Amino acid sequence: MSKGRAVSAATVLFNLPDYRVVRVVRDHAGDRTVTVETLSVEAACPSCGVFTSSVHQRTLQRVRDVAFDGPVTVVWDKKRWRCWEVACSRRAFAGATAQVPVRARFTPRPAGAG
């Protein structure tokens, strides 16, 4: 299986539709770190509503999720967007999705697990 197909398969298995799996790393103990990113290429400023495609920076955020086949650490390669609207007081804002809303530290799946 090619690397592209493996990433696509991992994304489907991970089941976060607004994200794609960038990489999966297994450490010496067998624990995995899954790095994900959103598929969005633009976002609307929460203050003024103007859309931007300008990424201000990227940050790594840990997100809690359900463990499968052992411990899993999820790291979101999160975009911070730049708002260029002159009349808007907000200059940058963090990306968010339905699965991981603003300020959330976990996906909705752990709440339903168990």
Side-chain angles (χ1 to χ4, degrees), residues 97-108:
T97 65
Q99 292 89 27
V100 186
V102 175
R103 294 185 187 86
R105 297 291 181 225
F106 57 90
T107 69

Side-chain angles (χ1 to χ4, degrees), residues 46-102:
S47 295
C48 68
V50 172
F51 277 84
T52 182
S53 61
S54 178
V55 176
H56 173 62
Q57 70 183 39
R58 294 175 85 100
T59 59
L60 298 177
Q61 176 182 330
R62 285 180 165 225
V63 182
R64 291 181 52 197
D65 194 69
V66 175
F68 54 92
D69 190 31
V72 176
T73 300
V74 179
V75 178
W76 178 10
D77 187 353
K78 187 175 187 176
K79 297 172 188 163
R80 287 193 46 83
W81 302 93
R82 182 180 307 276
C83 181
W84 291 105
E85 178 57 41
V86 178
C88 184
S89 62
R90 186 180 295 234
R91 293 291 158 230
F93 59 95
T97 65
Q99 292 89 27
V100 186
V102 175

Side-chain angles (χ1 to χ4, degrees), residues 3 7 11 20-24 34-38 58 75 77:
K3 186 174 181 176
V7 170
T11 300
R20 75 178 185 101
V21 173
V22 178
R23 75 181 69 68
V24 178
V34 179
T35 303
V36 299
E37 69 180 4
T38 57
R58 294 175 85 100
V75 178
D77 187 353

